[in-house]
Amino acid sequence: MRIGPYQLENNVIVAPMAGITDRPFRQLCRRLGAGLAVSEMLSSNPKVWKTDKSMNRMDHSGESGIRSVQIAGADPELMAQAAQFNVRNGAQIIDINMGCPAKKVNKKLAGSALLQYPDLVEEIVQAVVGAVEVPVTLKIRTGWDPDNRNGVEIAKIAERNRIASLAVHGRTRACMYKGEAEYDTIKAIKQSVSIPVVANGDITSPEKAKQVLDYTGADAIMIGRAAQGRPWIFREIDYYLRTGKHLPTPEVSEVRSILMEHLLNLHQFYGEPMGARIARKHVSWYLQSHDQEGQFRRVFNALEQPQEQIEALENYFETLAAN
């Protein structure tokens, strides 16, 4: 899988997820086998670029691998400026968000709401591609509701305006994350364009990854929610696609090691008190299968200090190992 001049190490990609794919998470996923990790979306509104939230999202210092930054907005000129700003800030690929179904994004006509307006889609794509020298990619859904799956039309707009690759989530905007993803539209999109196509949606296992790639003919797959609390899914899928064999499930000791690494990186990246707060959701995901009653997670979520969190987790894993 190539994006412009960049050769990916494999064809398993981390989906951009707001509030999740920050630098600590991206780096962890890359270390655990992802070929590319796309940053969480940044608004094209320059008024918010100097906020702490945006500054954290834009932080790529010391980051390994290809730096792909997602931007969101509905004004072609502002999107072009946002692309230029992020390239100056170290972005090597700019990704345009036309896939987010969140109401607060859609009410500003950004994200997947744009799929209703193909002319505006074209204007935005033209503006962004024309504004930067780096490859520009696009993330979309299959359409805006099940009666209006216009993904093929949008894909053709993308191709003729020099989009370097296209990621498609197998749901419409109206579907949000409900029901099951469908791959027929992704297959039709792949057949209608010659640019690389990335399949996204409900890919939760190595077998599902292979099934989706085989069915759609897509060039790569993108993993989002299935990586929450399970960042080793990337190496599992990559290994299975290459060998047809399964890697063993990580031992509890390795889960502990990965989780502690992630926790410390969050504490360091965000500082106090933010690091401890953001860590809660990640710890909850990691421990879903171990702490099924949620007893430990309720205790953990009340902890405010990083050191308290570290000690609580160390005690938790020691108890787990003893049982």
Side-chain angles (χ1 to χ4, degrees):
M1 168 82 179
R2 285 184 75 84
I3 299 178
Y6 300 112
Q7 178 69 49
L8 273 56
E9 288 170 24
N10 60 44
N11 61 346
V12 189
I13 300 171
V14 186
M17 293 177 280
I20 297 161
T21 48
D22 52 19
R23 196 181 79 200
F25 188 72
R26 292 195 302 273
Q27 287 294 86
L28 187 59
C29 292
R30 289 270 303 124
R31 186 173 76 68
L32 291 170
L36 177 70
V38 185
S39 75
E40 51 190 328
M41 69 179 178
L42 287 157
S43 170
S44 61
N45 177 2
K47 291 174 185 168
V48 303
W49 291 349
K50 296 295 180 192
T51 62
D52 288 346
K53 191 176 186 178
S54 289
M55 297 295 278
N56 279 329
R57 288 186 174 190
M58 292 174 186
D59 190 335
H60 297 273
S61 50
E63 190 163 347
S64 68
I66 304 157
R67 293 186 295 278
S68 176
V69 176
Q70 189 180 74
I71 58 173
D75 181 294
E77 193 175 331
L78 288 179
M79 287 287 278
Q81 289 170 14
Q84 290 170 335
F85 177 83
N86 282 288
V87 169
R88 287 195 299 272
N89 212 38
Q92 295 168 299
I93 295 172
I94 293 293
D95 184 57
I96 301 173
N97 181 326
M98 294 190 188
C100 179
K103 281 182 183 165
K104 69 177 182 182
V105 175
N106 283 189
K107 74 181 180 187
K108 295 175 184 167
L109 201 64
S112 54
L114 287 164
L115 299 176
Q116 294 173 83
Y117 307 99
D119 291 346
L120 182 55
V121 167
E122 187 147 33
E123 283 178 47
I124 290 170
V125 168
Q126 285 173 348
V128 174
V129 170
V132 291
E133 297 294 319
V134 304
V136 177
T137 59
L138 176 63
K139 183 152 196 274
I140 66 170
R141 287 187 162 228
T142 54
W144 70 90
D145 67 31
D147 295 324
N148 294 281
R149 288 195 172 103
N150 62 337
V152 169
E153 179 189 1
I154 301 295
K156 288 179 175 174
I157 291 170
E159 181 177 43
R160 71 170 174 258
N161 288 287
R162 307 199 321 275
I163 285 292
S165 89
L166 178 70
V168 189
H169 183 106
R171 288 180 175 85
T172 67
R173 171 202 174 189
C175 296
M176 297 292 285
Y177 294 99
K178 297 191 285 285
E180 292 184 2
E182 57 90 11
Y183 306 108
D184 290 337
T185 307
I186 301 176
K187 182 178 184 177
I189 287 170
K190 177 59 192 168
Q191 290 171 347
S192 72
V193 294
S194 58
I195 58 174
V197 172
V198 181
N200 174 227
D202 292 0
I203 299 168
T204 55
S205 68
E207 293 88 347
K208 186 70 179 282
K210 185 171 188 328
Q211 179 192 333
V212 170
L213 283 171
D214 289 348
Y215 183 74
T216 62
D219 302 274
I221 49 155
M222 186 172 265
I223 310 287
R225 290 171 296 160
Q228 294 171 0
R230 195 180 153 203
W232 49 85
I233 191 174
F234 298 99
R235 72 180 182 197
E236 291 176 341
I237 290 174
D238 177 47
Y239 185 79
Y240 184 79
L241 292 177
R242 285 187 291 105
T243 68
K245 296 174 183 170
H246 287 280
L247 282 175
T249 304
E251 301 281 344
V252 171
S253 58
E254 191 187 8
V255 174
R256 171 184 180 160
S257 168
I258 290 168
L259 173 47
M260 295 308 283
E261 174 192 343
H262 195 174
L263 182 74
L264 292 172
N265 285 339
L266 287 169
H267 290 165
Q268 186 180 3
F269 185 70
Y270 289 102
E272 292 187 47
M274 206 64 189
R277 288 179 191 159
I278 286 172
R280 291 171 185 162
K281 62 187 174 191
H282 289 282
V283 168
S284 182
W285 289 324
Y286 278 103
L287 298 184
Q288 256 168 354
S289 61
H290 299 285
D291 177 39
Q292 290 178 353
E293 304 291 312
Q295 201 171 340
F296 171 77
R297 284 175 285 168
R298 280 191 289 276
V299 172
F300 186 86
N301 287 343
L303 302 176
E304 295 283 348
Q305 300 301 319
Q307 192 55 39
E308 289 178 331
Q309 291 188 330
I310 292 164
E311 288 169 8
L313 274 170
E314 283 175 344
N315 291 336
Y316 175 78
F317 277 106
E318 275 167 24
T319 306
L320 206 60
N323 291 339

